[in-house]
Amino acid sequence: MKAIFLCVLWLTTFQVWGEVFPPDDVSAIDKPNDNGSAIILLWKKMDYETAKIFYVTYIATSPSGPFLVQPIQSSIINFKTDLPQSFGFAEDNKNWHALEITDYLLAGGEKKDMIEQNKTYYLRIGVKEGKDGNVVMHPKTFGVTPHGNYFAFNKLNNFLLFIFLTVVIIVFINLAKKNPNLFVRRIAGLEAMDDALGRATEMGRPVLFVHGLKYMHEVPTIAAVNILGRIAKKVAEFDTGLKVANWDPVIQQVSRETVKESYIEAGRPDAYKEENIYFASSEQFSYAAAVEGLMVREKPAANFYFGYFYAESLLLSETGNAAGSIQIAGTDAFTQIPFFITTCDYTLIGEELYAASAYLSREPKLLGSLKGQDLGKLMIIIVLVLGTIFTTFGWEGFSKIFWPM
Amino acid sequence: MKKNLPLTIAFIMGWLGILLDYIPHKVSEVLMTSITKGLMVTIAIVAFLGLYSLLNMHWIKIKRKNAGWGYSLLVFAGFFFMLIFGLYNQGDLFWKAQVEQGMVEWIYTYIFTPCQETMFSILAFFIASAAYRTFRAKSMEAGILLVAAVLVMFGVVPISGKIWSGFPEIAQWLLEYPNMAVKRAIFFGIALGVVSMSLRIIFGIERSYMGGEG
């Protein structure tokens, strides 16, 4: 008791005199869940911290120095709470400073060096009052060696959610094999696809397919190519012309192969015309101009827009509308959905783009995956409702389980 | 082999792509960088095929005198002008970096960019005509859309706040709550759709990109 009293008296006395003392509980750690390119200096928040208190850190690659001075840090910044991906959401985080170091100033203060993995760094910390005050150093040096991690534990919630969804979808795919009569709600846009192709056949005009402005390795384009495969097969069966205007040569080559295989599958390899799947332009508005030109000249009977679109969506669909084509669009580009709804006869919104291929095939296995997706959606709804209730009553812990980090 | 090889590649690369996202180690980064570089090399090679396709298509149009074949001549003219000026490079030739303010830059700035801007500006007229069609209050839903749209459009212009301070607040409320709620609902659906479709492709259940059934 006496010791505590003396200690408090000592601290208070120093504060009254305007002196500062170094922080307690200092440590240096390798930043968790990273590639080994960062270290973190931790120290406990001091009771006397104000906006006038500054911390100075020093770094060296040898325990004997030279220690290189780093930019001073205000005591009101750099807390564990700023790094939830490393320290989570513990209540005590606000009482700890955490300075993440990814690079450091070299002698002279102009050039910087990056923190390297498997190399030991030595850190020191001091404190001063005011920017021009005298630095009071912590007596110890703290060594740390950063290492790369093989699993990002901060993404564990995401990983478990992914595993859960994967299992659910696979289970439903297997269930669909046993019970093929699964109910999937009607999607008007996809039901109308046959009508649109039939119209094109009757009118003797081509069908135009556009797959947005994303690259081949991006999911909306993969979904679009899947749909193209289905459409191409029907086009081949109906003996109608198919034009595919591409903005990217890779997509063009993939589309050619997809359409060619579909024509072979339909037993009409002779009807396949390679030049109809062509590269128009890699520039957004040049591409739009090329496709609009095609619409005005050849007046396709049906236009299909599937994929991710930007400002060209309205240019294309409004021109198609003026040309009198039946238009079916599907996009997950939130900002372009209103434009397609306005100008197209049918629009697939968001996830419907990804369900289209499965829906068109009527394959039980593919429809099963849609059912699994629905269960995932139900789970999200339950989590949202519970999260809203718990947060309303002041317990944020539940929503933080699902926090993206 | 023709079917199994692409399916195997899709399976391996699909799982690799997923797992690398959870492995922060440098090894994972190096592997990802290598894959990206491979992708870039593929794109660079395929770019020539794209160019061939473009020129071939326009050549066929000119040869057959298809509708609008004159525009195809312009494609050739544009291509060769840019190629010649690019190679000539104001006398420095093509093995040196492009000269600033040379002919290539001039054509880009004074011909290509205005053409692009013209196309973009047409969007304003298209928005007007599309909005006119949409905002006809023929049904209850169209009526609600019309009222909401008018409130949002009016609420974001400065004069609305001067007439009544509630207009900007209503516009902001519409954007932040009903609009945001719908937006997030769509995003949830998209995320699940992406997971589901990716799994179908990774496990070889979805094969329509190969032109077949399944």
Side-chain angles (χ1 to χ4, degrees), chain A residues 61-79:
Chain A
T61 49
S62 155
S64 53
F67 280 88
L68 304 160
V69 64
Q70 302 303 304
I72 61 167
Q73 309 287 325
S74 167
S75 64
I76 58 169
I77 59 165
N78 295 324
F79 286 94

Side-chain angles (χ1 to χ4, degrees), chain A residues 16 51 65 74 78 113 124 129 137 139 167 170 220 307-308 311 347 349 370 388 402:
Chain A
V16 170
S74 167
N78 295 324
D113 235 353
R124 294 198 68 187
E129 189 172 17
M137 293 298 297
V167 170
I170 291 170
Y308 196 93
T347 305
I349 298 171
L370 298 186
T388 309
F402 299 93

Side-chain angles (χ1 to χ4, degrees), chain A residues 107-184:
Chain A
E110 282 180 11
K111 287 185 179 172
K112 279 185 174 180
D113 235 353
M114 303 302 287
I115 296 290
E116 290 172 33
Q117 68 169 336
N118 304 325
K119 186 175 174 182
T120 305
Y121 294 90
Y122 300 88
L123 303 167
R124 294 198 68 187
I125 187 166
V127 63
K128 62 180 179 177
E129 189 172 17
K131 285 191 175 176
D132 302 321
N134 290 325
V135 181
V136 182
M137 293 298 297
H138 191 286
K140 283 187 182 170
T141 300
F142 303 92
V144 60
T145 311
H147 300 288
N149 299 106
Y150 287 101
F151 186 78
F153 281 97
N154 56 328
K155 290 183 180 177
L156 187 65
N157 55 0
N158 181 292
F159 184 71
L160 292 176
L161 206 62
F162 167 72
I163 296 292
F164 173 78
L165 285 173
T166 306
V167 170
V168 166
I169 290 168
I170 291 170
V171 165
F172 271 90
I173 288 170
N174 285 316
L175 283 177
K177 281 185 206 165
K178 291 174 193 161
N179 174 25
N181 300 316
L182 289 173
F183 170 77
V184 176

Side-chain angles (χ1 to χ4, degrees), chain B residues 153-165 167-168:
Chain B
M153 284 192 290
F154 188 61
V156 294
V157 292
I159 198 169
S160 66
K162 291 196 176 9
I163 296 168
W164 180 48
S165 63
F167 282 128

